[in-house]
Amino acid sequence: MIGKRRKKTLNRELWLMFSAVLILFVVTFVVTSTFVSQRASYDYEIRESETTINGVSGSVTASIGTYKNLSRLVMLNKEAVTLLRAKNATISMINDARYGVMDVMNATTNLDSIFIFRNDGDFMNTGKGLYDLDLTLMKKPAWRNRILKERGGAIIMINAGGAIQRSNKEPIVTIARAIYDINSQKLTGMLLMNFSTSMLDAAINNQGGQRLCIVTSDGTFLSGDESVAAYFTEEFISGTIVHRMVDVDGKRVMISGYEIPDTPLIVMSYTDSSVSILNNTTMYALFALVLVSIVAILMIANFIARNITKPIADLTGAIELTKKSGYLEKIKVEMPDNEIGTLSENYNGMVEHVNQLFTELIEKEKSVQRAEMRVLHEQIKPHFLYNSMETIGYMALNDGAMDVHEALETLGSFYRNFLSKGDRDIPLSREINIIKDYLSIQKLRYGDIIIDEYDIAPEVMDWQIPKLILQPVVENSIYHGIRLKGEPGVIKITGYAEDGFLHLIVYDSGLGMSQEVIDKMLSTEPGDDRMEMDTSDVAKHLLSGFGLRGTIERVRYFCGRDDVVKIRSEEGEYAEIEFIIPVRVN
């Protein structure tokens, strides 16, 4: 009897304890559900506003990107380039440029007007309305420097920073660029491309019935729901979305704002905070689900422990072992014959597939790099051909047909070796022939100012090297060394073998390079091909384009390592470039 009483008491205590836990759970559930409901509502509003704002921002950014591309077409327009290059602009030139630009302008409906200003103040414009120009403002250094400091890059302004205003006072968004001559890289003018706010309207309309607007960084309304613009504050001028709660007619309203990157445009949204995400029906359903879950948990806990938890722990342990190995390996732990076992088999299959993909990806990456090098190789500018043809033309006028014939033979030999039947790697002997032909033609232009010398060991003449790695170096020696020094100079090419490596050295007695430029030239860090310090135009040219920096990258790729180039120089005296290439005989 005592045992029976103890059993009933234990059962009663168990139920009392369970009831107390259940009551506590219900109370906690009600309290937390209320808080979660409010928090969920707030989070929902944030997600909705951020999704909407990001959608508008992305659409506007994409549209601006399209107009930036159009602005590049305008800058490259043949008639516009002719107008900018002319010493004096004529009415005919201006009209030709206007018609040429209109072809670009007709490609889009939102483009409002295009202005091209020459350095002497003359300008060409075409547009869909009347405009008031503040030419005095445009001559001020503050206004000009804002555009010039981008070095040809695009800058977004409203009403051209106050310099252009539509006669009907409707705002316009301006893409401004400084225009540089593609050959001389000298400033030739400025481009102001203006588009109407209808582009902004389209971005907002794509978001459906959301209350949105776009304002400038000073709060001026541009597009959308103008009533939302009344809530603008400077805190919305931010690179991240800012949310602010305000009271409107007794309701809590969320106002969100975000500055579109690289523009003076602010996107704002208005979200009603009174919307409840969890209604009563949902709350009751959740409460019932909790009660059922309590019973279900007790029933399935043991099953889960025996059939799921332990096998998963074993599976996790096996996966941890593969992490330590540094390579994805198949699981070798015995698993039950159920879904966990199937998961193990699928994991093993995935590991095999992923390893195969890694191998394929590596091979594809190598192919891409090889393709990129081929593209880079084809990007050498043809200015040498043009200069050579010009020289031969002068010879035809002054010296007679025999000189022309000899010059053409030299030029033909150069390009036959240059093309090399499409080969990417050629013998050193052919590369030396290219240099000799190249310097022979350059001497036609510069005469005795260039003295070339060669010290090449005969045994290295058949070594395979990347085609055209010496010509860019010799070209730099002429144009940025000897020619700028203003006196005759020596270019000496040395080649010899040592410890299984080919040493190719190009020496010139020109201006040389500073240590700062050498360090940048040899840097392997991404982005170091752009000069961040204040240096000369020669140094900037050396670090850009196909020239010496591109050649160094090609040699590094060919050799599969970085320490294959050495540069020695003394400013005002000489420069010496050395390539160290492993043996590769055809």
Side-chain angles (χ1 to χ4, degrees), residues 252-266:
R252 295 289 288 171
V253 172
M254 177 181 289
I255 305 297
S256 305
Y258 169 69
E259 182 180 36
I260 300 177
D262 301 322
T263 74
L265 305 177
I266 312 296

Side-chain angles (χ1 to χ4, degrees), residues 33-104:
S33 295
T34 302
F35 172 78
V36 169
S37 176
Q38 295 175 350
R39 183 64 189 183
S41 178
Y42 179 77
D43 292 341
Y44 173 79
E45 294 155 12
I46 288 180
R47 290 195 301 271
E48 285 295 302
S49 62
E50 290 184 350
T51 300
T52 302
I53 288 176
N54 286 330
V56 174
S57 174
S59 179
V60 171
T61 300
S63 297
I64 290 177
T66 300
Y67 290 115
K68 286 181 179 179
N69 292 333
L70 285 176
S71 70
R72 294 189 185 97
L73 294 178
V74 172
M75 293 166 63
L76 296 174
N77 180 265
K78 180 175 66 176
E79 290 79 7
V81 171
T82 300
L83 174 64
L84 292 172
R85 286 178 174 175
K87 291 184 177 180
N88 296 300
T90 65
I91 297 299
S92 175
M93 289 180 182
I94 293 175
N95 287 334
D96 289 344
R98 180 178 290 112
Y99 293 135
V101 169
M102 285 180 66
D103 292 337
V104 179

Side-chain angles (χ1 to χ4, degrees), residues 265-512:
L265 305 177
I266 312 296
V267 183
M268 297 178 60
S269 71
Y270 177 107
T271 307
D272 189 348
S273 299
S274 62
V275 178
S276 176
I277 303 301
L278 301 178
N279 54 34
N280 291 335
T281 302
T282 303
M283 293 290 291
Y284 294 147
L286 289 175
F287 183 73
L289 180 62
V290 169
L291 293 178
V292 173
S293 299
I294 293 174
V295 178
I297 289 172
L298 295 175
M299 295 175 61
I300 65 176
N302 184 56
F303 178 84
I304 291 176
R306 288 186 295 104
N307 296 280
I308 298 178
T309 305
K310 186 179 183 302
I312 288 179
D314 294 339
L315 185 61
T316 303
I319 293 175
E320 287 295 327
L321 291 177
T322 66
K323 289 173 59 178
K324 295 179 180 179
S325 69
Y327 185 79
L328 289 176
E329 297 181 354
K330 295 182 179 181
I331 295 174
K332 300 178 181 179
V333 177
E334 184 176 351
M335 291 284 114
D337 187 16
N338 55 21
E339 287 79 4
I340 303 298
T342 302
L343 177 62
S344 175
E345 293 175 359
N346 289 339
Y347 176 82
N348 287 339
M350 181 192 69
V351 166
E352 184 177 356
H353 182 62
V354 169
N355 286 332
Q356 181 181 356
L357 290 178
F358 282 159
T359 302
E360 294 177 355
L361 183 60
I362 291 173
E363 292 301 320
K364 288 181 180 179
E365 181 63 23
K366 291 180 180 178
S367 298
V368 170
Q369 290 182 357
R370 289 192 292 267
E372 289 175 346
M373 293 307 301
R374 287 196 295 271
V375 172
L376 179 62
H377 183 73
E378 298 302 327
Q379 290 178 343
I380 301 177
K381 297 180 181 178
H383 60 274
F384 171 65
L385 175 61
Y386 303 149
N387 290 337
S388 301
M389 289 300 184
E390 183 182 37
T391 301
I392 295 170
Y394 285 130
M395 292 176 61
L397 293 176
N398 298 325
D399 296 333
M402 182 57 67
D403 290 340
V404 174
H405 175 72
E406 293 177 357
L408 284 174
E409 279 194 333
T410 303
L411 183 61
S413 174
F414 172 82
Y415 274 98
R416 280 192 299 272
N417 287 305
F418 171 87
L419 295 174
S420 301
K421 300 179 181 179
D423 296 334
R424 287 180 291 165
D425 304 332
I426 61 175
L428 175 60
S429 58
R430 189 177 299 173
E431 182 77 1
I432 296 300
N433 288 336
I434 291 175
I435 297 303
K436 289 181 178 179
D437 290 339
Y438 173 81
L439 288 176
S440 295
I441 297 172
Q442 289 288 28
K443 288 178 183 178
L444 297 178
R445 297 187 64 201
Y446 298 111
D448 295 333
I449 194 175
I450 302 172
I451 302 171
D452 56 319
E453 300 176 358
Y454 304 89
D455 184 12
I456 311 296
E459 65 268 20
V460 301
M461 280 298 191
D462 292 330
W463 284 36
Q464 293 288 312
I465 64 172
K467 182 173 67 177
L468 218 67
I469 61 171
L470 295 181
Q471 189 274 339
V473 181
V474 172
E475 182 177 355
N476 277 330
S477 297
I478 296 174
Y479 286 95
H480 306 299
I482 295 174
R483 188 171 65 89
L484 296 182
K485 195 171 184 179
E487 62 184 43
V490 175
I491 296 177
K492 182 177 181 180
I493 299 177
T494 303
Y496 63 92
E498 183 177 290
D499 297 330
F501 289 86
L502 170 64
H503 293 256
L504 284 178
I505 302 173
V506 179
Y507 165 91
D508 72 81
S509 60
L511 289 178

Side-chain angles (χ1 to χ4, degrees), residues 466 469 551-560 564-565 579 581:
I469 61 171
T551 301
I552 291 174
E553 292 302 322
R554 291 175 57 220
V555 175
R556 283 172 173 167
Y557 179 79
F558 179 85
C559 298
V564 295
V565 183
F579 296 129
I581 303 173

Side-chain angles (χ1 to χ4, degrees), residues 476 480 511-524 528-544 547-550 552 556 565-571 574-577:
N476 277 330
H480 306 299
L511 289 178
M513 292 178 277
S514 67
Q515 187 60 44
E516 187 177 25
V517 173
I518 293 174
D519 292 341
K520 284 287 183 179
M521 197 85 67
L522 295 177
S523 173
T524 59
D528 275 350
D529 54 337
R530 295 187 178 181
M531 291 291 287
E532 297 178 354
M533 67 287 236
D534 185 15
T535 186
S536 67
D537 289 338
V538 172
K540 292 179 181 178
H541 181 80
L542 286 171
L543 291 170
S544 63
L548 183 53
R549 180 64 188 269
I552 291 174
R556 283 172 173 167
V565 183
K566 295 182 180 179
I567 301 178
R568 297 175 286 273
S569 179
E570 183 176 343
E571 288 189 274
Y574 77 96
E576 192 174 79
I577 315 297

